[in-house]
Amino acid sequence: MAVAAFSVFLNRLLDRRAHQLLQVRSVAEAAQLAVLHPIPRHLGHVTLESLSLAAAAEARIGGDLYEAIRTPHGVRLLIGDVRGKGLLAVQTAATLLSAFREAAHDAPDLPHLARRLETSVSRYASQYPEVPGSEIAERFITALLAEIPDDEPVVRTVTCGHPPPLLLHRGEVRELPAAAPSPPLNLGMLVSDEYHVDLAPFHPGDRLRLYTDGVTETRYRTGDFYPLAERIRLWSGEGPHQLLEHLHRDLVAYSGGELDDDIAALVARRRPGLPA
């Protein structure tokens, strides 16, 4: 009788635990959708696909972020990585995304947009100078801004301490390093000059691959880092959706199923012709 009673108690405890876990996952999914809005598959002349993986699998949310918006200046993209993890990282990511969604429409160029994002993040951080252990004032965000204009076969980028994007053109994979990268956001006091814009060709059929360092810092069991450019070259003929599917499966396999950092990736493909 004692064993039976204990079994009933244990089953009820496990059921309650499973119910609580389901509730936590539901709340986390709602928070994820609130922070990272689903990106449209098509914005004007650009086709888009995104990937987001949180290091805390049960939380399903992290500090990596991305966004894409159609503006009068073309399609503008943002990808970023907040220093640290947890709720503070999510709050900081939400602040940056809100600022980008507002400023992307009317900032005349990428340097102005970067400066407005720097101002928003710095103001947010300055509200918490005395909160012990919050580290908000010390939290910074690596970010990359990209602009794909409607009427020119180019892509413009501004880099704020973020890994360089990859350009896929006719089967070739080329890294687009910044000529003069700026510091991460919330470290804008270190920028002595204006933000520098890099320009690269971006023709119909080309794909632009943005990512956070969780991708390139994924480790094999021997300690080797993930060779992103080499792997992407194997799938250079694939469309944006298939490319990210390959990447997702390959990262899981490469890490032995032990991804230990937040990951975000965004692929933009220029379609032939101009939008209506």
Side-chain angles (χ1 to χ4, degrees), residues 133-257:
S134 71
E135 299 180 358
I136 293 179
E138 301 175 7
R139 196 165 293 271
F140 60 82
I141 311 172
T142 69
L144 187 138
L145 298 169
E147 179 181 272
I148 305 172
D150 293 343
D151 54 356
E152 297 179 77
V154 299
V155 59
R156 302 183 182 97
T157 56
V158 165
T159 302
C160 300
H162 199 79
L166 298 178
L167 177 66
L168 286 72
H169 173 72
R170 296 183 178 179
E172 295 297 322
V173 179
R174 182 163 64 97
E175 191 175 83
L176 302 179
S182 297
L185 300 176
N186 201 31
L187 297 177
M189 72 289 295
L190 302 178
V191 179
S192 58
D193 299 317
E194 189 59 84
Y195 288 92
H196 177 78
V197 177
D198 291 288
L199 187 70
F202 193 53
H203 298 284
D206 289 353
R207 280 144 296 158
L208 186 70
R209 172 77 163 71
L210 313 179
Y211 57 94
T212 58
D213 62 10
V215 174
T216 50
E217 293 181 1
T218 295
R219 289 180 180 266
Y220 194 57
R221 60 175 177 267
T222 58
D224 296 331
F225 288 115
Y226 184 76
L228 177 61
E230 176 184 324
R231 299 296 182 126
I232 290 293
R233 191 171 288 110
L234 299 175
W235 317 312
S236 60
E238 302 284 357
H241 180 72
Q242 292 78 10
L243 196 155
L244 287 184
E245 281 191 335
H246 284 303
L247 177 66
H248 186 181
R249 290 194 296 265
D250 200 41
L251 284 171
V252 173
Y254 191 86
S255 65

Side-chain angles (χ1 to χ4, degrees), residues 11-26:
N11 285 334
R12 288 182 177 177
L13 185 63
L14 291 175
D15 287 343
R16 182 180 301 174
R17 171 60 178 165
H19 180 68
Q20 290 175 340
L21 183 58
L22 181 61
Q23 287 182 319
V24 169
R25 286 179 172 175
S26 298

